[in-house]
Amino acid sequence: MKKRVGILTSGGDCPGLNATLRGVAKALYQRMGEEVELIGISNGYSGLIGGEWRVMRPDEFSGILTVGGTILGTKRTPFKLMRVVGEDKVDKVAAMKKNYKEMKLDCLLCLGGNGTHKTANLLSEEGLNVIGLPKTIDNDIFGTDVTFGFHTAVDIATEVIDRVHTTAGSHSRCMVVELMGNKAGWLTLYAGIAGGADIILIPELPYTIDNVCAAVEKRAGEGKTFSILAVAEGVYDAEEARMKKKERAAKRAEAGEVTATNRIARQIEAMTGFETRVCVPGHMQRGGSPSPYDRVLATQFGAYAAKLVEHEHYGVTVAMKNNHVTENPLAEVAGKSRLVPDGHGMLEVARRMGVSMG
Ligand code: F6P
């Protein structure tokens, strides 16, 4: 009997999803030929709940190595709502199990980030055969040193920082570049170092505006006419860091702020006299073709997931540890995230280079 393998991409997209789908499919077809059939589920768990699926043709996985986004479509279906029956009266977990059965799946591969892994674990606990694959530009999945999508985003963010350097220099300005990453500072830290940012602010290290302005003024004192700040979208100042989540959200809402970036720019201008501009590359960091690094990683992860399918080794997610592709139990990964730890080598490098961390 043919092995039927369901596959879906869930959560925010990133470069490398298609390359991973291709990696899984090619490696499976290579090993199992006619003995395997891939079932593509549209728009993540939403498609699994709604029964949107199709049997994929092998040629659909060709020519997609370099293509951004996901050929399956994706959607955010929050984990916290999975057990909640909404107005549509759909029991989502029951619907996913029913559709898994109806598709006659032997297993289900879920490509996604932290939220996706929580639901993957839930489905695994419910008795389905699930394998996860870690994607996200945020690089914040527990148990893996790297996720696909991250390095492409670092490349894009670095180019942004490179480009604002010249305009900052011409105008003698401060440029504040807001980078994605959710609650994790990896993307900002790596792009900040790669782009030679003068000040790097990450959520893991609450900043004070006095320290930020002192760094700008120190540079001015050394004859530098501009400063570049790489600021993670999730940063808080020291005062906000002491507040409860709700209190902080209320304060931001009152000030009409979503992120701290515009406030930082305003404060730098007021406190140092430097004309300051904000640059937000936003979803550009998630778009377009994956970098060669991510193509390789996606192919490694895809091929490894295919091996797990072949060996019927389920309830795990693929990971990279010390340059070695391996797997972690879903139960150990779900509900955790990986932030930049205090004392991480990259923080040490930044500080040694004289970069201010706020
Ligand atoms: O998790 C990936 C990510 O790009 C985060 O860095 C960012 O905070 C978020 O998704 C943006 O989400 P959305 O695509 O829903 O705007």
Side-chain angles (χ1 to χ4, degrees):
M1 261 233 306
K2 276 191 183 190
K3 190 167 264 183
R4 284 172 68 93
V5 179
I7 192 158
L8 60 81
T9 54
S10 176
D13 73 341
C14 75
L17 281 167
N18 284 328
T20 308
L21 294 174
R22 170 187 176 272
V24 170
K26 292 224 172 208
L28 278 176
Y29 293 136
Q30 189 67 30
R31 291 284 300 178
M32 301 172 76
E34 301 275 296
E35 295 308 304
V36 67
E37 202 158 47
L38 274 135
I39 317 298
I41 297 154
S42 305
N43 304 319
Y45 294 119
S46 163
L48 184 58
I49 295 163
E52 298 164 48
W53 57 273
R54 67 180 196 277
V55 176
M56 307 285 289
R57 295 185 319 272
D59 70 352
E60 290 184 80
F61 295 101
S62 290
I64 61 169
L65 175 63
T66 62
V67 180
T70 160
I71 58 167
L72 296 177
T74 187
K75 215 169 191 168
R76 293 191 190 278
T77 313
F79 171 76
K80 63 177 183 215
L81 298 181
M82 282 299 178
R83 296 262 185 213
V84 179
V85 177
E87 277 175 12
D88 56 10
K89 305 266 186 300
V90 176
D91 179 332
K92 298 180 208 47
V93 177
M96 288 192 281
K97 286 167 73 176
K98 179 178 135 278
N99 286 325
Y100 179 97
K101 247 191 167 171
E102 267 176 21
M103 286 184 265
K104 299 191 170 53
L105 296 185
D106 291 291
C107 62
L108 173 67
L109 270 54
C110 302
L111 283 61
N114 280 324
T116 303
H117 277 79
K118 282 198 251 180
T119 300
N121 184 49
L122 181 156
L123 293 175
S124 174
E125 284 172 353
E126 288 285 326
L128 308 191
N129 297 328
V130 184
I131 296 170
L133 284 129
K135 72 90 227 199
T136 168
I137 66 164
D138 303 340
N139 202 30
D140 61 349
I141 298 186
F142 185 83
T144 183
D145 297 338
V146 68
T147 56
F148 59 88
F150 172 63
H151 276 283
T152 307
V154 170
D155 292 355
I156 298 165
T158 302
E159 173 156 11
V160 172
I161 297 173
D162 288 349
R163 285 180 182 273
V164 300
H165 259 93
T166 58
T167 167
S170 308
H171 286 267
S172 302
R173 283 175 173 161
C174 285
M175 293 294 301
V176 183
V177 181
E178 179 185 295
L179 299 173
M180 280 187 168
N182 198 10
K183 294 183 182 120
W186 296 108
L187 177 53
T188 303
L189 183 58
Y190 274 67
I193 287 176
D198 308 300
I199 297 161
I200 298 177
L201 306 182
I202 61 172
E204 293 87 344
L205 300 175
Y207 69 93
T208 70
I209 197 65
D210 287 344
N211 287 347
V212 170
C213 290
V216 170
E217 273 165 349
K218 181 167 177 278
R219 276 176 57 77
E222 291 161 356
K224 310 275 173 49
T225 59
F226 69 92
S227 288
I228 306 291
L229 288 86
V231 177
E233 61 180 356
V235 296
Y236 299 111
D237 65 22
E239 190 195 334
E240 288 176 310
R242 285 191 293 271
M243 293 177 178
K244 294 226 164 67
K245 206 173 159 189
K246 270 195 176 159
E247 196 187 343
R248 203 159 55 200
K251 181 180 168 258
R252 289 257 175 114
E254 203 185 310
E257 290 168 355
V258 179
T259 65
T261 317
N262 284 307
R263 179 178 71 210
I264 293 170
R266 261 198 328 273
Q267 289 171 321
I268 292 176
E269 211 164 79
M271 291 168 71
T272 69
F274 266 99
E275 202 173 38
T276 304
R277 293 286 187 272
V278 167
C279 170
V280 185
H283 291 78
M284 281 181 62
Q285 294 161 96
R286 284 207 338 227
S289 186
S291 65
Y293 181 100
D294 272 332
R295 293 179 203 178
V296 172
L297 184 64
T299 307
Q300 285 177 291
F301 279 5
Y304 193 88
K307 191 167 85 176
L308 293 171
V309 171
E310 201 188 336
H311 295 166
E312 302 183 347
H313 186 39
Y314 305 128
V316 294
T317 188
V318 180
M320 178 73 82
K321 288 185 198 168
N322 302 320
N323 284 325
H324 184 69
V325 185
T326 177
E327 82 269 348
N328 287 315
L330 279 170
E332 277 181 20
V333 169
K336 296 183 190 152
S337 66
R338 181 177 160 268
L339 302 179
V340 179
D342 209 16
H344 188 269
M346 225 27 124
L347 294 175
E348 162 95 13
V349 168
R351 290 195 180 105
R352 280 185 184 276
M353 296 300 294
V355 174
S356 164
M357 303 297 298

Short mmCIF file of all heavy atoms in Angstrom, two decimals, residues 12-13 76 135-138 140 179-183 187 233 283 286, ligand 1:
data_model
loop_
_atom_site.label_atom_id
_atom_site.label_comp_id
_atom_site.label_asym_id
_atom_site.label_seq_id
_atom_site.Cartn_x
_atom_site.Cartn_y
_atom_site.Cartn_z
N GLY A 12 3.48 32.52 9.86
CA GLY A 12 4.03 33.49 8.92
C GLY A 12 4.96 32.80 7.93
O GLY A 12 5.68 31.88 8.31
N ASP A 13 4.94 33.22 6.68
CA ASP A 13 5.81 32.54 5.71
C ASP A 13 7.26 32.98 5.90
O ASP A 13 7.55 33.85 6.73
CB ASP A 13 5.34 32.83 4.26
CG ASP A 13 5.65 34.24 3.83
OD1 ASP A 13 5.89 35.11 4.70
OD2 ASP A 13 5.67 34.49 2.61
N ARG A 76 -2.21 32.00 9.85
CA ARG A 76 -2.00 31.87 11.29
C ARG A 76 -3.30 31.36 11.91
O ARG A 76 -4.34 32.01 11.79
CB ARG A 76 -1.65 33.22 11.90
CG ARG A 76 -0.30 33.78 11.47
CD ARG A 76 0.06 34.98 12.31
NE ARG A 76 1.23 35.67 11.78
CZ ARG A 76 2.49 35.30 11.99
NH1 ARG A 76 2.74 34.23 12.72
NH2 ARG A 76 3.49 36.01 11.50
N LYS A 135 10.75 26.38 10.80
CA LYS A 135 10.94 27.57 9.94
C LYS A 135 10.67 28.83 10.75
O LYS A 135 9.79 28.82 11.62
CB LYS A 135 10.03 27.56 8.72
CG LYS A 135 8.54 27.81 8.96
CD LYS A 135 8.08 29.24 8.90
CE LYS A 135 7.19 29.55 10.09
NZ LYS A 135 6.34 30.63 10.09
N THR A 136 11.38 29.86 10.52
CA THR A 136 11.05 31.22 10.97
C THR A 136 12.25 32.14 10.80
O THR A 136 13.40 31.73 11.04
CB THR A 136 10.59 31.29 12.45
OG1 THR A 136 10.57 32.67 12.85
CG2 THR A 136 11.49 30.55 13.41
N ILE A 137 11.96 33.35 10.39
CA ILE A 137 13.03 34.35 10.31
C ILE A 137 13.48 34.76 11.72
O ILE A 137 14.52 35.37 11.88
CB ILE A 137 12.61 35.60 9.51
CG1 ILE A 137 11.50 36.39 10.22
CG2 ILE A 137 12.21 35.24 8.10
CD1 ILE A 137 11.32 37.81 9.68
N ASP A 138 12.68 34.42 12.73
CA ASP A 138 12.99 34.86 14.10
C ASP A 138 14.08 34.00 14.76
O ASP A 138 14.68 34.42 15.74
CB ASP A 138 11.73 34.81 14.99
CG ASP A 138 10.60 35.64 14.43
OD1 ASP A 138 10.88 36.52 13.59
OD2 ASP A 138 9.44 35.41 14.80
N ASP A 140 13.82 31.45 16.63
CA ASP A 140 13.54 31.33 18.07
C ASP A 140 12.92 29.99 18.45
O ASP A 140 12.21 29.90 19.45
CB ASP A 140 12.63 32.48 18.52
CG ASP A 140 11.28 32.48 17.81
OD1 ASP A 140 11.12 31.72 16.83
OD2 ASP A 140 10.38 33.23 18.24
N LEU A 179 13.87 46.12 12.89
CA LEU A 179 13.91 44.78 12.29
C LEU A 179 12.94 43.83 12.99
O LEU A 179 12.62 44.01 14.17
CB LEU A 179 15.34 44.23 12.36
CG LEU A 179 16.35 45.09 11.58
CD1 LEU A 179 17.77 44.62 11.80
CD2 LEU A 179 16.03 45.10 10.08
N MET A 180 12.47 42.84 12.25
CA MET A 180 11.52 41.86 12.80
C MET A 180 12.23 40.92 13.77
O MET A 180 13.40 41.09 14.06
CB MET A 180 10.86 41.08 11.66
CG MET A 180 9.73 41.82 10.98
SD MET A 180 8.92 40.71 9.81
CE MET A 180 7.45 41.67 9.44
N GLY A 181 11.49 39.92 14.22
CA GLY A 181 12.09 38.94 15.13
C GLY A 181 11.18 38.59 16.29
O GLY A 181 11.54 37.78 17.14
N ASN A 182 10.01 39.27 16.34
CA ASN A 182 9.05 39.04 17.41
C ASN A 182 9.72 39.30 18.76
O ASN A 182 10.28 40.37 18.95
CB ASN A 182 8.47 37.63 17.28
CG ASN A 182 7.18 37.46 18.06
OD1 ASN A 182 6.61 38.42 18.54
ND2 ASN A 182 6.72 36.24 18.19
N LYS A 183 9.74 38.32 19.67
CA LYS A 183 10.31 38.59 21.01
C LYS A 183 11.79 38.28 21.07
O LYS A 183 12.43 38.42 22.11
CB LYS A 183 9.58 37.75 22.06
CG LYS A 183 8.13 38.16 22.20
CD LYS A 183 7.45 37.36 23.29
CE LYS A 183 5.99 37.74 23.39
NZ LYS A 183 5.08 36.62 23.16
N LEU A 187 17.72 38.14 14.84
CA LEU A 187 17.80 38.78 13.52
C LEU A 187 18.50 40.13 13.63
O LEU A 187 19.39 40.47 12.84
CB LEU A 187 16.38 38.91 12.94
CG LEU A 187 16.22 39.60 11.60
CD1 LEU A 187 17.12 39.01 10.54
CD2 LEU A 187 14.75 39.51 11.14
N GLU A 233 12.01 44.88 16.68
CA GLU A 233 10.63 45.36 16.86
C GLU A 233 10.12 45.10 18.28
O GLU A 233 9.23 45.80 18.74
CB GLU A 233 9.71 44.68 15.85
CG GLU A 233 9.66 43.16 16.01
CD GLU A 233 8.74 42.46 15.03
OE1 GLU A 233 8.05 43.12 14.25
OE2 GLU A 233 8.73 41.20 15.05
N HIS A 283 7.95 43.41 6.01
CA HIS A 283 7.81 42.07 5.42
C HIS A 283 8.77 41.80 4.27
O HIS A 283 8.83 40.66 3.80
CB HIS A 283 6.35 41.84 4.98
CG HIS A 283 5.43 41.71 6.16
ND1 HIS A 283 5.00 42.81 6.86
CD2 HIS A 283 4.92 40.63 6.79
CE1 HIS A 283 4.23 42.40 7.86
NE2 HIS A 283 4.16 41.09 7.84
N ARG A 286 10.81 38.93 4.92
CA ARG A 286 10.25 37.57 4.79
C ARG A 286 10.01 37.17 3.34
O ARG A 286 9.60 36.04 3.07
CB ARG A 286 8.92 37.50 5.54
CG ARG A 286 9.08 37.43 7.00
CD ARG A 286 7.97 36.76 7.75
NE ARG A 286 6.69 36.67 7.13
CZ ARG A 286 5.54 36.98 7.76
NH1 ARG A 286 5.56 37.45 8.98
NH2 ARG A 286 4.40 36.81 7.16
O1 F6P B 1 7.35 35.31 13.17
C1 F6P B 1 7.73 35.91 12.00
C2 F6P B 1 7.33 37.35 11.98
O2 F6P B 1 7.77 37.91 10.78
C3 F6P B 1 7.82 38.18 13.16
O3 F6P B 1 9.18 38.52 13.04
C4 F6P B 1 6.86 39.32 13.11
O4 F6P B 1 6.70 39.88 14.38
C5 F6P B 1 5.58 38.68 12.66
O5 F6P B 1 5.94 37.48 12.02
C6 F6P B 1 4.75 39.51 11.72
O6 F6P B 1 3.56 38.83 11.52
P1 F6P B 1 2.50 39.13 10.38
O7 F6P B 1 2.95 38.45 9.14
O8 F6P B 1 1.26 38.52 10.90
O9 F6P B 1 2.43 40.60 10.19
#
